[in-house]
Amino acid sequence: MLVKRKRRKGPGQEGLITASPFLMPSLIGLLVFSLLPLLISAFISLTDWNGLDQLTAPGFFQEHFIGLDNYKAILSSPEFWGVLWNTFRYIIMYIPLMLVASLGVAYLLSRQRPGVTAFRIIYYIPVLTSWVAASMIWKSMLSPEYGAVNNILAVFGIQGPGWLLDEAWAMSAIVLVSVWKDMGFFGLILLSGMVGINKSYYEAASLDGAGSWQKFWKITLPLMTPAIFYVLIVSLINAFQLFPQIMIMTDGGPNGATQVMVERIYKYGFRYYRMGYAAAFSWILFAIIMVCTAIQMKGQERWVNYDS
């Protein structure tokens, strides 16, 4: 006679059941403030909603639903491809310059010298400054006529460009300000990876006659690749979400030279009252970020070294 045995719960299941009451507040917050807005945004992207009519009004779906028309209009618009190119142009300039500057800051601050702690604090101050305040200050400093930057260049006999008023220089100015603001944050991350490297590697390399550059190239960089990979992921996502410095310093100008994805999303949603179009724009941006992140995650297998 067969006796049906009662399946015993594993330790993992018991732990999950015990933790469930404590996880519920966070899960509810995730549902209400993250997943639900995503679903609503996806629905709005399929409508021509102006942001003013009530979503729950009778007949809203029949009146405003337009399917994929917003996506078709965006992808067939020359403006979208110009804005996308501006965004990638910013990324192409920003990420290499930011990475080099952050590595330089991390390397300098990793040296044990008198006052190095004070310098670490000084380098991090721009990170603590709000983008609004920083952008206002730099907008004044980059003024072609009265700005401090061009006045300093004039001392050396160099005529400064129009910066934010020049189509050829406006995006470069945004990149320089962004690197100044972010290199302290990313430099701190790289610094933590640099000081965590086992010093015995450098001692062994010194016995073999390796110089400073060989140590940096053969030891420091390979062992810092996990930190560098994290910086690349975060900085790429942040670069796609470029917004406050654009709105304050150029407002998308001159002549559309600094129009980027998030700037367009904001203006279509809150200036032109085309909320459905803006929502579709945001989902396209989401898809682009996901694809770029997936490529980075796949590519890390070839160059990221997790062996310490």
Side-chain angles (χ1 to χ4, degrees):
M1 181 176 180
L2 297 176
V3 178
K4 188 175 182 181
R5 299 179 62 183
K6 185 177 181 181
R7 179 181 294 180
R8 298 181 60 185
K9 298 178 181 178
Q13 292 177 311
E14 292 180 356
L16 182 61
I17 293 173
T18 304
S20 294
F22 302 98
L23 294 175
M24 285 304 296
S26 297
L27 292 175
I28 293 174
L30 176 66
L31 176 65
V32 173
F33 297 107
S34 295
L35 298 181
L36 185 60
L38 282 175
L39 295 176
I40 295 174
S41 173
F43 168 72
I44 291 174
S45 70
L46 303 176
T47 69
D48 60 356
W49 185 45
N50 58 13
L52 300 176
D53 299 337
Q54 291 186 3
L55 289 172
T56 57
F60 176 89
F61 183 82
Q62 292 80 2
E63 181 181 353
H64 294 283
F65 183 78
I66 58 174
L68 299 176
D69 287 356
N70 284 328
Y71 294 92
K72 294 176 183 177
I74 292 172
L75 295 176
S76 61
S77 169
E79 179 198 51
F80 168 75
W81 298 105
V83 168
L84 185 61
W85 166 242
N86 287 340
T87 304
F88 275 112
R89 189 158 57 95
Y90 170 83
I91 292 171
I92 291 169
M93 291 189 289
Y94 166 75
I95 290 184
L97 188 57
M98 179 277 302
L99 186 59
V100 170
S102 300
L103 278 170
V105 168
Y107 182 77
L108 292 174
L109 297 183
S110 67
R111 308 293 94 184
Q112 293 302 323
R113 298 171 181 172
V116 67
T117 302
F119 280 106
R120 289 176 182 176
I121 296 173
I122 292 171
Y123 273 108
Y124 200 76
I125 288 176
V127 181
L128 304 177
T129 307
S130 72
W131 258 121
V132 175
S135 299
M136 292 295 293
I137 292 172
W138 275 101
K139 185 176 182 180
S140 175
M141 292 178 62
L142 292 172
S143 172
E145 297 180 4
Y146 309 107
V149 175
N150 280 2
N151 288 335
I152 293 173
L153 292 176
V155 173
F156 299 96
I158 302 174
Q159 183 178 0
W163 296 114
L164 302 176
L165 303 179
D166 190 334
E167 293 182 34
W169 285 93
M171 188 61 78
S172 300
I174 298 294
V175 169
L176 291 175
V177 175
S178 300
V179 170
W180 169 84
K181 181 79 163 58
D182 295 339
M183 69 178 182
F185 173 74
F186 293 118
L188 184 64
I189 295 173
L190 296 177
L191 175 63
S192 64
M194 193 172 292
V195 298
I197 297 175
N198 194 327
K199 301 297 185 258
S200 61
Y201 295 138
Y202 297 105
E203 295 171 0
S206 297
L207 293 176
D208 291 337
S212 299
W213 173 250
Q214 290 176 312
K215 292 178 185 178
F216 181 78
W217 187 255
K218 298 294 184 179
I219 298 174
T220 305
L221 276 183
L223 295 180
M224 283 186 61
T225 48
I228 293 173
F229 175 66
Y230 173 79
V231 167
L232 289 176
I233 288 285
V234 175
S235 61
L236 180 67
I237 294 174
N238 287 344
F240 271 114
Q241 297 176 353
L242 172 68
F243 178 68
Q245 54 268 54
I246 291 289
M247 292 301 298
I248 294 172
M249 297 176 69
T250 65
D251 197 30
N255 198 26
T258 57
Q259 289 181 345
V260 291
M261 298 289 285
V262 178
E263 177 263 344
R264 291 285 88 192
I265 293 170
Y266 169 80
K267 286 185 177 178
Y268 276 117
F270 298 100
R271 285 194 184 180
Y272 310 144
Y273 298 102
R274 299 177 62 184
M275 197 64 69
Y277 195 84
F281 225 116
S282 66
W283 276 98
I284 292 174
L285 174 60
F286 171 78
I288 294 172
I289 293 176
M290 288 294 293
V291 169
C292 292
T293 304
I295 293 173
Q296 284 185 302
M297 295 296 293
K298 184 64 177 178
Q300 67 154 330
E301 300 172 0
R302 299 186 177 183
W303 66 277
V304 179
N305 177 28
Y306 290 102
D307 298 326
S308 58

